[in-house]
Amino acid sequence: MGLSERIDNAVMQAVATGQGGVAPRQLAEALRYATTPGGARIRPTILTSVAMACGDDRPQITDAAAAALELIHCASLVHDDLPCFDDAETRRGKPSVHRAYGQPLAVLAGDSLIVLAFEVLARVAHLDAGRSARLVLTLAQRTGMPNGICAGQGWESEPQVDLRAYHRSKTGALFVAATQMGAIAAGQEPDDWEELGARIGEAFQVADDLRDALYDSDTLGKPAGQDDLHRRPNAVSELGVEGAIKRLTDILSGAIASIPSCPGEAALAQMVRMQAERLIPVITPVAK
Amino acid sequence: MGLSERIDNAVMQAVATGQGGVAPRQLAEALRYATTPGGARIRPTILTSVAMACGDDRPQITDAAAAALELIHCASLVHDDLPCFDDAETRRGKPSVHRAYGQPLAVLAGDSLIVLAFEVLARVAHLDAGRSARLVLTLAQRTGMPNGICAGQGWESEPQVDLRAYHRSKTGALFVAATQMGAIAAGQEPDDWEELGARIGEAFQVADDLRDALYDSDTLGKPAGQDDLHRRPNAVSELGVEGAIKRLTDILSGAIASIPSCPGEAALAQMVRMQAERLIPVITPVAK
């Protein structure tokens, strides 16, 4: 089983946990709709790659962690797409959840996915209660207030934005969760893994800024030009297109250099390089 | 320190966890606004009473559990008040969160409170990782899909409602969480405590139906007549006012009878009786 299949299976198994028995049909469907087809599943891919680099001695815990992180990411997309935020008509090339199911079910689908993420982590506590609890704590800290993606979105309502805190929480938080939860799932200390996650997060922020500024909605599969429209801070407006691309490659080199010493260090560096190649060629031709 | 002060302290300490450091100011404020002044704090009161009846040997875990449960309840109020659900202007006698802070921050405040609930439970794992994990699991199951309050709200979007599942999840779920989490916090098995929670939940559903049907918005501190307006099932339309009051007292007697044998059984029965008295006299004069 390849990595991508492993992660998809873990996510689908987690979603099924939220759908069993006598459940309201449309909300159950909305949970599946919001999580399939997967996007690149980048966060759980990083998480699982880190866990494998650390030995992956409890693969069921790794799978739970990967699924939980992806559920939180999907929940954030559902809520961010709501009319009171981005009012996005489309997501991943199909109608956004509130367009397909209405706003009430979109709010509830997001809420349910958040809760399900923590349930999935609690369900592997019989394998190692300590790891389960550390995963819950790390995921919560990177999701909620004051440092998680909720905080990141909250900064957009502030008249005065702390840009460093904004970027760190809005985009960086779930990448730090990815590397740290991968380490925890494999029984390692998470502290050394923060920098790798933070740098990957910065790289994705810059790549996302480039895409938002350069692409149209059809290519993105979601509305383009949102940063300009909502006057959000953006690396392209700050550095120009060439400058932003230079910055992206620098950050990715730094990410690879920051990988802590571990049994699977070389393979992990290779994974980060692959992710980097996915980001950069997509942007370069458009920028020229 | 009385029970009510103990619970308020636990909730405030939990909310402070979500507000530290460099955080977006308004969202941080909204978390406090959504959780103070407390309503009756009935769910954490039941939880703590059950824990005390079971010996309360780890009071910090009990406090975390009580706070987590109340945060979930407050989050559900914030989201249920949104324009796409009840569109409530007021809650607990002051403007609802979205009226005070706008819809984006209301969505985010609800999300953040849900996440914070699980964080609070993970933070006591150093005292007993097993109890922490069981609390996370129980709270998640009673909050999300397919059996928690999210499912309960989800039923309201269905053309065909399973009434039993609807009531059990919409109102009953967090009362079952209260009794079971109280038992878990004190190191006891939760299964025997499900019936007490379920019966208290039924009682509150009937009492809520009576208030919704009989009171005006000023008295309720939130919009009245919502069940009629949204054509939600209601015990008063089913049984009449007198019938609903009769049913309420029967359920509460059953609740007291269902209390499992435990060191603090008598005191707990007394607490349930007190809660019952709070419900019934409020309704009786109006019904006559």
Side-chain angles (χ1 to χ4, degrees), chain A residues 180-203:
Chain A
Q180 293 196 316
M181 289 173 76
I184 295 166
Q188 301 303 307
E189 282 303 312
D191 292 354
D192 291 348
W193 290 91
E194 180 168 356
E195 187 179 347
L196 175 62
R199 285 179 185 270
I200 296 174
E202 284 173 48

PDB file of all heavy atoms in Angstrom, chain A residues 180-203:
ATOM      1  N   GLN A 180       5.156  17.802  14.172  1.00  0.00           N
ATOM      2  CA  GLN A 180       5.207  17.419  15.593  1.00  0.00           C
ATOM      3  C   GLN A 180       4.351  16.186  15.891  1.00  0.00           C
ATOM      4  O   GLN A 180       4.745  15.319  16.666  1.00  0.00           O
ATOM      5  CB  GLN A 180       4.783  18.603  16.466  1.00  0.00           C
ATOM      6  CG  GLN A 180       5.800  19.753  16.390  1.00  0.00           C
ATOM      7  CD  GLN A 180       5.641  20.759  17.508  1.00  0.00           C
ATOM      8  OE1 GLN A 180       4.516  21.158  17.824  1.00  0.00           O
ATOM      9  NE2 GLN A 180       6.736  21.184  18.095  1.00  0.00           N
ATOM     10  N   MET A 181       3.176  16.123  15.278  1.00  0.00           N
ATOM     11  CA  MET A 181       2.313  14.951  15.522  1.00  0.00           C
ATOM     12  C   MET A 181       2.933  13.692  14.914  1.00  0.00           C
ATOM     13  O   MET A 181       2.767  12.593  15.460  1.00  0.00           O
ATOM     14  CB  MET A 181       0.909  15.197  14.957  1.00  0.00           C
ATOM     15  CG  MET A 181       0.113  16.235  15.749  1.00  0.00           C
ATOM     16  SD  MET A 181      -1.468  16.666  14.936  1.00  0.00           S
ATOM     17  CE  MET A 181      -2.457  15.216  15.344  1.00  0.00           C
ATOM     18  N   GLY A 182       3.644  13.847  13.796  1.00  0.00           N
ATOM     19  CA  GLY A 182       4.343  12.689  13.225  1.00  0.00           C
ATOM     20  C   GLY A 182       5.372  12.150  14.203  1.00  0.00           C
ATOM     21  O   GLY A 182       5.475  10.931  14.422  1.00  0.00           O
ATOM     22  N   ALA A 183       6.115  13.059  14.830  1.00  0.00           N
ATOM     23  CA  ALA A 183       7.120  12.646  15.813  1.00  0.00           C
ATOM     24  C   ALA A 183       6.455  11.994  17.028  1.00  0.00           C
ATOM     25  O   ALA A 183       6.865  10.916  17.483  1.00  0.00           O
ATOM     26  CB  ALA A 183       7.955  13.857  16.237  1.00  0.00           C
ATOM     27  N   ILE A 184       5.404  12.627  17.537  1.00  0.00           N
ATOM     28  CA  ILE A 184       4.713  12.086  18.724  1.00  0.00           C
ATOM     29  C   ILE A 184       4.133  10.700  18.426  1.00  0.00           C
ATOM     30  O   ILE A 184       4.228   9.789  19.245  1.00  0.00           O
ATOM     31  CB  ILE A 184       3.582  13.042  19.174  1.00  0.00           C
ATOM     32  CG1 ILE A 184       4.157  14.377  19.649  1.00  0.00           C
ATOM     33  CG2 ILE A 184       2.738  12.395  20.275  1.00  0.00           C
ATOM     34  CD1 ILE A 184       3.113  15.485  19.796  1.00  0.00           C
ATOM     35  N   ALA A 185       3.517  10.562  17.252  1.00  0.00           N
ATOM     36  CA  ALA A 185       2.902   9.276  16.889  1.00  0.00           C
ATOM     37  C   ALA A 185       3.928   8.146  16.924  1.00  0.00           C
ATOM     38  O   ALA A 185       3.592   7.004  17.233  1.00  0.00           O
ATOM     39  CB  ALA A 185       2.254   9.362  15.513  1.00  0.00           C
ATOM     40  N   ALA A 186       5.184   8.490  16.608  1.00  0.00           N
ATOM     41  CA  ALA A 186       6.242   7.479  16.611  1.00  0.00           C
ATOM     42  C   ALA A 186       7.030   7.481  17.919  1.00  0.00           C
ATOM     43  O   ALA A 186       8.117   6.897  18.008  1.00  0.00           O
ATOM     44  CB  ALA A 186       7.175   7.707  15.423  1.00  0.00           C
ATOM     45  N   GLY A 187       6.514   8.145  18.929  1.00  0.00           N
ATOM     46  CA  GLY A 187       7.123   8.077  20.248  1.00  0.00           C
ATOM     47  C   GLY A 187       8.311   8.998  20.463  1.00  0.00           C
ATOM     48  O   GLY A 187       9.063   8.829  21.423  1.00  0.00           O
ATOM     49  N   GLN A 188       8.493   9.987  19.577  1.00  0.00           N
ATOM     50  CA  GLN A 188       9.624  10.906  19.708  1.00  0.00           C
ATOM     51  C   GLN A 188       9.179  12.249  20.304  1.00  0.00           C
ATOM     52  O   GLN A 188       7.999  12.597  20.264  1.00  0.00           O
ATOM     53  CB  GLN A 188      10.260  11.153  18.338  1.00  0.00           C
ATOM     54  CG  GLN A 188      10.769   9.895  17.664  1.00  0.00           C
ATOM     55  CD  GLN A 188      11.789   9.157  18.517  1.00  0.00           C
ATOM     56  OE1 GLN A 188      12.767   9.743  18.965  1.00  0.00           O
ATOM     57  NE2 GLN A 188      11.551   7.869  18.779  1.00  0.00           N
ATOM     58  N   GLU A 189      10.165  12.989  20.792  1.00  0.00           N
ATOM     59  CA  GLU A 189       9.907  14.331  21.312  1.00  0.00           C
ATOM     60  C   GLU A 189       9.577  15.275  20.141  1.00  0.00           C
ATOM     61  O   GLU A 189      10.294  15.275  19.134  1.00  0.00           O
ATOM     62  CB  GLU A 189      11.140  14.864  22.043  1.00  0.00           C
ATOM     63  CG  GLU A 189      11.307  14.294  23.430  1.00  0.00           C
ATOM     64  CD  GLU A 189      10.089  14.544  24.303  1.00  0.00           C
ATOM     65  OE1 GLU A 189       9.607  15.689  24.341  1.00  0.00           O
ATOM     66  OE2 GLU A 189       9.608  13.587  24.936  1.00  0.00           O
ATOM     67  N   PRO A 190       8.561  16.101  20.277  1.00  0.00           N
ATOM     68  CA  PRO A 190       8.152  16.936  19.148  1.00  0.00           C
ATOM     69  C   PRO A 190       8.935  18.245  18.979  1.00  0.00           C
ATOM     70  O   PRO A 190       8.923  18.829  17.889  1.00  0.00           O
ATOM     71  CB  PRO A 190       6.685  17.260  19.466  1.00  0.00           C
ATOM     72  CG  PRO A 190       6.584  17.158  20.948  1.00  0.00           C
ATOM     73  CD  PRO A 190       7.599  16.137  21.385  1.00  0.00           C
ATOM     74  N   ASP A 191       9.649  18.689  20.027  1.00  0.00           N
ATOM     75  CA  ASP A 191      10.229  20.038  19.976  1.00  0.00           C
ATOM     76  C   ASP A 191      11.154  20.263  18.776  1.00  0.00           C
ATOM     77  O   ASP A 191      11.100  21.291  18.114  1.00  0.00           O
ATOM     78  CB  ASP A 191      10.993  20.353  21.275  1.00  0.00           C
ATOM     79  CG  ASP A 191      10.048  20.472  22.468  1.00  0.00           C
ATOM     80  OD1 ASP A 191       8.814  20.429  22.250  1.00  0.00           O
ATOM     81  OD2 ASP A 191      10.535  20.595  23.604  1.00  0.00           O
ATOM     82  N   ASP A 192      12.030  19.276  18.506  1.00  0.00           N
ATOM     83  CA  ASP A 192      12.994  19.436  17.418  1.00  0.00           C
ATOM     84  C   ASP A 192      12.329  19.525  16.045  1.00  0.00           C
ATOM     85  O   ASP A 192      12.976  19.879  15.061  1.00  0.00           O
ATOM     86  CB  ASP A 192      13.949  18.229  17.372  1.00  0.00           C
ATOM     87  CG  ASP A 192      14.863  18.210  18.577  1.00  0.00           C
ATOM     88  OD1 ASP A 192      14.915  19.223  19.300  1.00  0.00           O
ATOM     89  OD2 ASP A 192      15.500  17.168  18.812  1.00  0.00           O
ATOM     90  N   TRP A 193      11.075  19.166  15.983  1.00  0.00           N
ATOM     91  CA  TRP A 193      10.389  19.090  14.686  1.00  0.00           C
ATOM     92  C   TRP A 193       9.598  20.347  14.359  1.00  0.00           C
ATOM     93  O   TRP A 193       8.998  20.455  13.274  1.00  0.00           O
ATOM     94  CB  TRP A 193       9.478  17.863  14.656  1.00  0.00           C
ATOM     95  CG  TRP A 193      10.276  16.596  14.618  1.00  0.00           C
ATOM     96  CD1 TRP A 193      10.705  15.860  15.695  1.00  0.00           C
ATOM     97  CD2 TRP A 193      10.790  15.949  13.450  1.00  0.00           C
ATOM     98  NE1 TRP A 193      11.447  14.781  15.266  1.00  0.00           N
ATOM     99  CE2 TRP A 193      11.515  14.811  13.883  1.00  0.00           C
ATOM    100  CE3 TRP A 193      10.714  16.211  12.078  1.00  0.00           C
ATOM    101  CZ2 TRP A 193      12.154  13.945  12.998  1.00  0.00           C
ATOM    102  CZ3 TRP A 193      11.345  15.349  11.201  1.00  0.00           C
ATOM    103  CH2 TRP A 193      12.054  14.234  11.656  1.00  0.00           C
ATOM    104  N   GLU A 194       9.592  21.302  15.267  1.00  0.00           N
ATOM    105  CA  GLU A 194       8.798  22.512  15.030  1.00  0.00           C
ATOM    106  C   GLU A 194       9.318  23.311  13.830  1.00  0.00           C
ATOM    107  O   GLU A 194       8.544  23.787  13.004  1.00  0.00           O
ATOM    108  CB  GLU A 194       8.782  23.401  16.283  1.00  0.00           C
ATOM    109  CG  GLU A 194       7.967  24.671  16.067  1.00  0.00           C
ATOM    110  CD  GLU A 194       7.679  25.433  17.356  1.00  0.00           C
ATOM    111  OE1 GLU A 194       8.030  24.954  18.448  1.00  0.00           O
ATOM    112  OE2 GLU A 194       7.091  26.527  17.245  1.00  0.00           O
ATOM    113  N   GLU A 195      10.659  23.438  13.739  1.00  0.00           N
ATOM    114  CA  GLU A 195      11.213  24.289  12.685  1.00  0.00           C
ATOM    115  C   GLU A 195      10.867  23.775  11.286  1.00  0.00           C
ATOM    116  O   GLU A 195      10.511  24.554  10.394  1.00  0.00           O
ATOM    117  CB  GLU A 195      12.730  24.439  12.834  1.00  0.00           C
ATOM    118  CG  GLU A 195      13.266  25.469  11.847  1.00  0.00           C
ATOM    119  CD  GLU A 195      14.777  25.684  11.949  1.00  0.00           C
ATOM    120  OE1 GLU A 195      15.374  25.227  12.931  1.00  0.00           O
ATOM    121  OE2 GLU A 195      15.320  26.312  11.026  1.00  0.00           O
ATOM    122  N   LEU A 196      10.972  22.464  11.096  1.00  0.00           N
ATOM    123  CA  LEU A 196      10.641  21.906   9.777  1.00  0.00           C
ATOM    124  C   LEU A 196       9.196  22.270   9.397  1.00  0.00           C
ATOM    125  O   LEU A 196       8.927  22.736   8.287  1.00  0.00           O
ATOM    126  CB  LEU A 196      10.822  20.385   9.780  1.00  0.00           C
ATOM    127  CG  LEU A 196      10.399  19.677   8.482  1.00  0.00           C
ATOM    128  CD1 LEU A 196      11.229  20.148   7.289  1.00  0.00           C
ATOM    129  CD2 LEU A 196      10.499  18.147   8.626  1.00  0.00           C
ATOM    130  N   GLY A 197       8.285  22.070  10.343  1.00  0.00           N
ATOM    131  CA  GLY A 197       6.881  22.396  10.058  1.00  0.00           C
ATOM    132  C   GLY A 197       6.688  23.871   9.773  1.00  0.00           C
ATOM    133  O   GLY A 197       5.961  24.249   8.840  1.00  0.00           O
ATOM    134  N   ALA A 198       7.344  24.701  10.569  1.00  0.00           N
ATOM    135  CA  ALA A 198       7.197  26.151  10.384  1.00  0.00           C
ATOM    136  C   ALA A 198       7.700  26.579   9.008  1.00  0.00           C
ATOM    137  O   ALA A 198       7.072  27.386   8.308  1.00  0.00           O
ATOM    138  CB  ALA A 198       7.943  26.890  11.486  1.00  0.00           C
ATOM    139  N   ARG A 199       8.833  26.007   8.573  1.00  0.00           N
ATOM    140  CA  ARG A 199       9.400  26.403   7.270  1.00  0.00           C
ATOM    141  C   ARG A 199       8.542  25.903   6.114  1.00  0.00           C
ATOM    142  O   ARG A 199       8.333  26.606   5.126  1.00  0.00           O
ATOM    143  CB  ARG A 199      10.840  25.897   7.151  1.00  0.00           C
ATOM    144  CG  ARG A 199      11.783  26.744   7.989  1.00  0.00           C
ATOM    145  CD  ARG A 199      13.218  26.261   7.925  1.00  0.00           C
ATOM    146  NE  ARG A 199      14.053  27.036   8.825  1.00  0.00           N
ATOM    147  CZ  ARG A 199      14.692  28.156   8.476  1.00  0.00           C
ATOM    148  NH1 ARG A 199      14.588  28.627   7.251  1.00  0.00           N
ATOM    149  NH2 ARG A 199      15.427  28.813   9.353  1.00  0.00           N
ATOM    150  N   ILE A 200       8.045  24.674   6.239  1.00  0.00           N
ATOM    151  CA  ILE A 200       7.152  24.174   5.183  1.00  0.00           C
ATOM    152  C   ILE A 200       5.902  25.069   5.128  1.00  0.00           C
ATOM    153  O   ILE A 200       5.418  25.419   4.050  1.00  0.00           O
ATOM    154  CB  ILE A 200       6.769  22.695   5.425  1.00  0.00           C
ATOM    155  CG1 ILE A 200       8.012  21.800   5.337  1.00  0.00           C
ATOM    156  CG2 ILE A 200       5.728  22.247   4.406  1.00  0.00           C
ATOM    157  CD1 ILE A 200       7.755  20.338   5.696  1.00  0.00           C
ATOM    158  N   GLY A 201       5.416  25.450   6.289  1.00  0.00           N
ATOM    159  CA  GLY A 201       4.242  26.336   6.342  1.00  0.00           C
ATOM    160  C   GLY A 201       4.494  27.662   5.643  1.00  0.00           C
ATOM    161  O   GLY A 201       3.657  28.132   4.861  1.00  0.00           O
ATOM    162  N   GLU A 202       5.676  28.254   5.904  1.00  0.00           N
ATOM    163  CA  GLU A 202       6.020  29.517   5.225  1.00  0.00           C
ATOM    164  C   GLU A 202       6.053  29.319   3.715  1.00  0.00           C
ATOM    165  O   GLU A 202       5.579  30.164   2.951  1.00  0.00           O
ATOM    166  CB  GLU A 202       7.413  29.992   5.660  1.00  0.00           C
ATOM    167  CG  GLU A 202       7.500  30.609   7.032  1.00  0.00           C
ATOM    168  CD  GLU A 202       8.970  30.863   7.404  1.00  0.00           C
ATOM    169  OE1 GLU A 202       9.706  31.430   6.574  1.00  0.00           O
ATOM    170  OE2 GLU A 202       9.376  30.459   8.506  1.00  0.00           O
ATOM    171  N   ALA A 203       6.643  28.208   3.289  1.00  0.00           N
ATOM    172  CA  ALA A 203       6.748  27.940   1.847  1.00  0.00           C
ATOM    173  C   ALA A 203       5.356  27.843   1.223  1.00  0.00           C
ATOM    174  O   ALA A 203       5.097  28.410   0.157  1.00  0.00           O
ATOM    175  CB  ALA A 203       7.530  26.650   1.607  1.00  0.00           C
TER     176      ALA A 203
END
